[in-house]
Structure formats: C-alpha cells, structure tokens
Amino acid sequence: MVAVGLPEPTRAAARRPRNVRGRRAAGRILPLVPALALLALFFLGPILWCVYASFTDVALTGATASTPHLVGLRNYRQMLHDPQFRQSLWLTVVFVLGSAVIGQNVGGMVLALLMKSRRRIARAVVGAIVVGAWVTPELVAGFVWYAFLSDDGTLNAILHAVGLHGKSWLYATPLLAVTLANIWRGTAFSMLVYSAALSNVPDDLLEAAAVDGASAFARLRHITLPLMRRAVMTNLMTITLQTLAVFTLIFVMTGGGPGTKTQTLPVYMYQSAFKFYQLGYGAALAIVLLAVGGVFSVVYLRMMREDV
Amino acid sequence: MTTATRSAPRLSTTAPRRRSAAAAAYLVLGLIALAFLVPFAWLFLSSVSEHATLDTSVPDHLTLRNFADVLTGDNLHALVNSLVLSLGSAVLTLVLAAPAAYPLSRYTRRFGRPILLILLFATGLPITAILVPVYGLFVQLDLLDSIPATILFLTATGLPMAIWLMKNFMDEVPISLEEAAWVDGASGLRALLRIVLPLMLPGTAVVFTFTFALTWGNFFVPFILLVDPAKQPASVVIFQYFGLHGTASYGLLAAFSILYSMPVVVLYTVVQRVLGNAFALSGAVKG
C-alpha cells in the first residue's frame, strides 16, 4: 500500500493554473487514502451503524437478531426511565472526577513538583516505580489491585500489623477501590507531562520572586501554575478521555459489582449488549458514551487548534 | 499529599529551612513510591510461592515451578497470538501512518487542517464504545474469530493517534533536505523512505512501541472479537485463569501475568533509555 507514489511538493504550485493545482492537490491526498479508508471502514462505519442500531431492537440472539425493527426513540426513552442508566452515568462522573481530575492530575502535579531539583537517583527510582504501574497492562493492574484489596490481601495485612481493622474493601467501598486502582495506574502520565512542563518554567523567574520574598506557595500559584496552564488543560482533557473509556480495570476488579455499584457506562454497555444481548440498547448506550467523549474531544480540539 | 509542598518554607533563602524542606520532600516522595510499589508485592511473591493465595506472605522457599508450569503449549500459543496481533497492528500502523502523515506535514495549509482536526477528534473518542457496533459489523461480515480482521480493527483504533504523532515528528525534519533529493530526481516516496523516515527514526520507534504496547495490553477487543480459544491472545487466556476463583491457581496467574507484562515493560525501558522521557512525550503532548 505504500507503493502509492507520493507527489513531489513544489513551491511553484501556487503559480500554476487552477486545474493543475487541483490535480496536484488530489495527488497529494493519495498517500492518505489507505489510512482514511481503514478509518472509514472500522471507525466511521461502526459509529454510523451504531447510530442506526440505537433506533432498532436488534438483539444478539433470537428473532430480532436477523430481522431487527425500527423502534424510533424507544431505546433512548427507555434510557431516560432506566435507573441503572442514571446510576451508571453518575458512577462514571464520580469515577472520572475522582480518579482523573483529582487523583491523577493532582497526584501527577505533586510528584512532578516534589521531584523537581531533587537528586537524579531519587528521581530515577521514584519515576521508575510510578511509571512501572503505568506500563503494567491494565489487566494485570486489575489482578494486582484485586489481590491488594481482597479480604486477606496486602492492605488488610498491613492494617492488621499496625493494629487496625481491615475491611472487605471490594464490597464495602467498591467505587473507591476501582478509583484508587485507576489513580495508581494513570498518575505516571500526568507526572511525565507536568515534569516536562515544569522544566520549561524559567528558574531565574522563580529565584527572583524568592529574593523578593514570595513564599513557595505564592511562587507556585502566581508563577509556576500560570505558566503551566496549557499543559494542565491538555493533560486534564487527555486523562478525562482516557478514564471515560476504562473498562478492563473495573471488569477485572469488581465486574461492575457488587450489584451495580461500579457499573460505569462502559461496563453497563458491555452488560446490555453482550450479557443481556440487547445490542440495540447497548448501541444507544454506546452513542451516549461517544457523545460524552465527543463533547470533551471538541473542547480538547479547541484547545489544541492553535497548534495545528 | 499537597500539604508537603505547601508547608515548604516561607523563606527558602535560609539554608536550614531549605534543607528541612528537601528532607520533607524526600520523605513524601519515599512514601508515595512505597505506596506505588506495595500493590506489586503480591504479584512477585505469589509467582515464586508454592501455595499462593490472595494474601501476601514471603514463601518458605522460593520456587520457579509456577513459571515452568505456566509455560504449557496452549499458553505459549496464546503469547504467540499476542505477538501476531501486536506486531501485525504495529507494522501495519507504521505502513499506513507514514505516507498519511507526509502530506499532512508538508502541505498542511492547503487541505490538511480539516483532516488533522478530524484525526485529533478521533483520538479522543472512547474506543470502548465503538466495540458494540464493531461486533455487529464483524457478525454481519462473518469476521468473528478472524485474526487479520482483528488486526485491521486494532490498527484503525490506533491510527488517528499514530498519524498525529508521525506528523508531529515529521514536522521536525527540515523540508530543505528533501528539496535536495527532488533536485536529484527522487520521487516523493523515495524522499520519504530514504531521507525523512531515517531522520525521524526515534519518532517512528515511539509510534511503533506505542501501538505495540496498546495492542499487547488490550483485553477488551480480543475478548469480544476472538471466541475460538486457539486464536485468543495472552490477555484473554490469563483472564480465564483469573476466572477460576477459589482454585489454587494464583501462583500460575501471577507467574503468567509477569511473563505477559515483560515484553511491554522491556520495550518501554529500551525506548525510554534510548530516547528519554521528554522526547517520547514531546510528540504526544504539545503545549
């Protein structure tokens, strides 16, 4: 597929007559065609089908699997009256706010600030440990945290050793459990982004402020953070979108349970489509998930626009 | 955690205060690092323990039997499946993304902007949501259990980000170098292959690693699209080990998890060593 000849860019193109320029532009798009075709087939196509399916009663098995009927807005109306949907939307909001916006974001910032101007060896060791959690496949992270928080798991053993009483964390505080696990897994990304952004904050500016008597907190608030604003916004957008799509971690740790206590939108979508075979309803849930992601993505796009 | 930074000295110009602030920072860093490390303990201890359970205890004597036992023919086959999926999608991604990024990098003004914006938009969409319709598509086209089709889908999911990254790395290669080649009569493709790609080899390595790791770690996509046990990758097979709750297979689960994590950990380490963190991120997050 690479064999598609790439056009020669030339500066003279601007001076050529219109039709020649048009042909040149077409030639220039040519190398993009294979990639765009694949995206259309496996990205755009499914999304369009998803929109269509969300208006039908298509099921995974049974009569409606082969001959689905258009049911109009029934799936969406059902959604509005579905307490499980409302709950899953709420859980998703709490999960994203707790683990991405607060946990990963603040945690990453704190780590980056603490690591700045520390000894190289300390940065290397702490960095390696935190990044290690990030590099670990999501599935394994799920196992690790399942074991860590289980009844006779490591956390309870530690608590017991210092004379405290443990809990059945995965049953008593399941949402907190998956949130903590996702913070553990995702903080490295924010840390790397913020470390890179921090290294661009000029030291002499901070030193001058310190000489003028600005406290460390004042320097952070009035110099460092304003200079990192763009990095913070970009990072917040990225981790929000990533967390919105988290499925495996929750699926492994709690399976959405106990009951439906950790059934975020992706998990509920999976349950509806693949467990209860309501593909149409699952598609409608997918549309909602896509729409939420789409809204965030547009905001993200607006922020990145100047760079394109 | 925030209190530590905030309680940093008000006047850090005096040496003793600065030193105590540094000590506090090291202490907090140490505690955070420990908190990040402790959950791993179970994984490593159980993998070398004879009778592993969910509790973390140092085994009486260390054994590598779990690792030996987990390396059965079926499990190796699953790892090979993972390799086929990951290599397949990583190579295909590069083959598609490099030529696609070239015009986007070189002629942005004319037509590239809308395409770049669409690609950027697509990188933000939750892939998880697309899996329901993709499943429907695979059923209708009779593509379930097809490894090549799964590779194509995995490639499509990673492609927007890959093209975007490639374009950013390509922007760093000065166009004047290609102009010299065109004068010598080289075609655009030749210039891309001979001049641009070799100069952006680090960027290409980042995109490759990124795509490979993404596919290797992916559980949901093969879990839905590959039903035949003989075609499932390691992620899905390990999950089935996990499904055997209550049975004494935790040692095997831990050992298999470590073996399965190893390739991506090694790949990340190598790329990070060779290229450095800052570089790997420079393309991913601009600004």
Side-chain angles (χ1 to χ4, degrees), chain A residues 1-7 9 31, chain B residues 94-103 105-106 166 170 173 177-178 181-182 186-201 204:
Chain A
M1 275 184 251
V2 250
V4 178
L6 289 171
Chain B
L94 285 184
V95 167
L96 292 174
Y102 186 73
S105 168
R106 275 11 182 181
M166 283 295 247
M170 219 172 261
V173 179
L177 291 169
E178 288 145 85
W182 298 326
S187 69
L189 179 66
R190 272 183 78 92
L192 174 66
L193 287 178
R194 289 285 168 83
I195 296 163
V196 183
L197 281 181
L199 281 172
M200 53 176 286
L201 205 61
T204 313

Side-chain angles (χ1 to χ4, degrees), chain A residues 9 46 119 144 152 154 184 245 297, chain B residues 26 36 39 55-56 107 121 128 133:
Chain A
R119 281 172 199 281
V144 161
D152 38 10
T154 317
W184 179 80
S297 214
Chain B
Y26 279 119
F36 269 83
D55 61 341
T56 311
Y107 328 108
F121 177 74
T128 317

Side-chain angles (χ1 to χ4, degrees), chain A residues 52-303:
Chain A
Y52 159 75
S54 72
F55 294 109
T56 71
D57 61 353
V58 62
L60 214 51
T61 56
T64 48
S66 46
T67 51
H69 306 285
L70 279 168
V71 294
L73 287 168
R74 198 180 76 188
N75 287 321
Y76 292 97
R77 233 177 289 131
Q78 182 188 343
M79 211 184 282
L80 285 176
H81 297 111
D82 177 3
Q84 279 203 51
F85 166 71
R86 257 175 287 168
Q87 190 204 21
S88 70
L89 200 61
W90 172 242
L91 288 172
T92 310
V93 170
V94 176
F95 180 64
V96 170
L97 279 179
S99 66
V101 177
I102 298 172
Q104 296 177 7
N105 181 46
V106 176
M109 179 67 87
V110 167
L111 273 168
L113 286 169
L114 282 174
M115 274 161 74
K116 204 195 175 199
S117 68
R118 297 278 91 82
R119 281 172 199 281
R120 180 190 273 267
I121 176 82
R123 275 185 309 183
V125 171
V126 177
I129 292 171
V130 176
V131 171
W134 182 49
V135 170
T136 304
E138 197 178 350
L139 185 79
V140 177
F143 297 153
V144 161
W145 273 82
Y146 177 83
F148 182 64
L149 295 177
S150 67
D151 284 355
D152 38 10
T154 317
L155 183 61
N156 281 346
I158 294 172
L159 290 176
H160 198 73
V162 296
L164 291 169
H165 282 290
K167 252 190 192 173
S168 289
W169 303 106
L170 290 164
Y171 287 91
T173 54
L175 190 62
L176 183 67
V178 292
T179 302
L180 280 177
N182 197 46
I183 293 174
W184 179 80
R185 211 179 107 76
T187 299
F189 181 80
S190 299
M191 179 189 80
L192 294 174
V193 171
Y194 289 148
S195 291
L198 261 182
S199 63
N200 290 330
V201 176
D203 280 331
D204 43 352
L205 207 62
L206 293 168
E207 272 161 34
V211 170
D212 288 345
S215 70
F217 180 61
R219 274 175 280 153
L220 178 66
R221 213 187 127 192
H222 296 296
I223 300 174
T224 311
L225 287 183
L227 282 174
M228 288 172 69
R229 222 189 107 240
R230 272 189 69 79
V232 173
M233 296 310 284
T234 317
N235 183 54
L236 272 178
M237 238 41 244
T238 313
I239 57 180
T240 297
L241 288 165
Q242 282 168 359
T243 307
L244 203 57
V246 167
F247 168 81
T248 304
L249 194 69
I250 299 177
F251 187 62
V252 168
M253 283 178 69
T254 67
T260 54
K261 281 185 181 157
T262 52
Q263 204 176 60
T264 56
L265 265 180
V267 180
Y268 188 38
M269 183 199 74
Y270 165 79
Q271 305 273 22
S272 301
F274 300 110
K275 266 269 164 66
F276 303 118
Y277 309 128
Q278 297 306 315
L279 220 50
Y281 194 54
L285 289 170
I287 289 293
V288 172
L289 190 55
L290 279 171
V292 176
V295 169
F296 277 102
S297 214
V298 166
V299 179
Y300 180 56
L301 208 62
R302 293 197 83 96
M303 286 178 351

Side-chain angles (χ1 to χ4, degrees), chain B:
Chain B
M1 281 192 264
T2 21
T3 42
T5 35
R6 287 183 181 174
S7 66
R10 299 275 132 168
L11 277 169
S12 56
T13 33
T14 45
R17 284 217 170 175
R18 187 171 263 193
R19 224 176 293 145
S20 67
Y26 279 119
L27 184 70
V28 177
L29 271 181
L31 287 176
I32 296 178
L34 199 65
F36 269 83
L37 197 59
V38 168
F40 276 124
W42 170 81
L43 189 67
F44 290 108
L45 290 174
S46 295
S47 72
V48 291
S49 160
E50 233 170 308
H51 309 288
T53 53
L54 281 174
D55 61 341
T56 311
S57 54
V58 181
D60 296 334
H61 51 271
L62 305 179
T63 170
L64 289 176
R65 250 193 66 188
N66 289 326
F67 287 94
D69 285 355
V70 98
L71 286 174
T72 61
D74 285 349
N75 290 347
L76 284 174
H77 189 67
L79 286 167
V80 171
N81 287 342
S82 287
L83 198 64
V84 170
L85 287 174
S86 304
L87 268 182
S89 67
V91 170
L92 192 59
T93 299
L94 285 184
V95 167
L96 292 174
Y102 186 73
L104 291 176
S105 168
R106 275 11 182 181
Y107 328 108
T108 312
R109 256 160 247 261
R110 297 274 312 150
F111 65 88
R113 234 175 104 89
I115 296 179
L116 275 172
L117 291 176
I118 291 170
L119 288 175
L120 194 58
F121 177 74
T123 60
L125 291 179
I127 303 296
T128 317
I130 301 179
L131 212 49
V132 170
V134 164
Y135 180 82
L137 181 75
F138 271 49
V139 170
Q140 291 200 334
L141 299 179
D142 207 14
L143 288 173
L144 274 189
D145 266 336
S146 158
I147 287 181
T150 307
I151 289 177
L152 279 178
F153 174 61
L154 287 166
T155 304
T157 60
L159 209 48
M161 180 55 101
I163 297 175
W164 181 256
L165 284 175
M166 283 295 247
K167 184 249 167 202
N168 281 346
F169 287 125
M170 219 172 261
D171 286 348
E172 307 291 313
V173 179
I175 197 164
S176 55
L177 291 169
E178 288 145 85
E179 280 166 352
W182 298 326
V183 171
D184 294 341
S187 69
L189 179 66
R190 272 183 78 92
L192 174 66
L193 287 178
R194 289 285 168 83
I195 296 163
V196 183
L197 281 181
L199 281 172
M200 53 176 286
L201 205 61
T204 313
V206 167
V207 177
F208 179 87
T209 305
F210 186 78
T211 324
F212 185 94
L214 220 60
T215 307
W216 186 272
N218 200 319
F219 161 76
F220 199 24
V221 171
F223 181 62
I224 297 295
L225 298 182
L226 298 172
V227 187
D228 182 357
K231 291 179 177 167
Q232 283 166 344
S235 55
V236 180
V237 171
I238 297 179
F239 180 70
Q240 281 148 7
Y241 268 77
F242 184 64
L244 311 166
H245 283 306
T247 59
S249 60
Y250 285 113
L252 296 180
L253 175 73
F256 202 173
S257 294
I258 289 176
L259 287 176
Y260 162 64
S261 305
M262 218 42 100
V264 276
V265 173
V266 169
L267 201 57
Y268 266 115
T269 313
V270 170
V271 169
Q272 201 192 17
R273 270 283 149 75
V274 177
L275 306 173
N277 257 333
F279 186 81
L281 271 170
S282 68
V285 189
K286 274 186 147 187

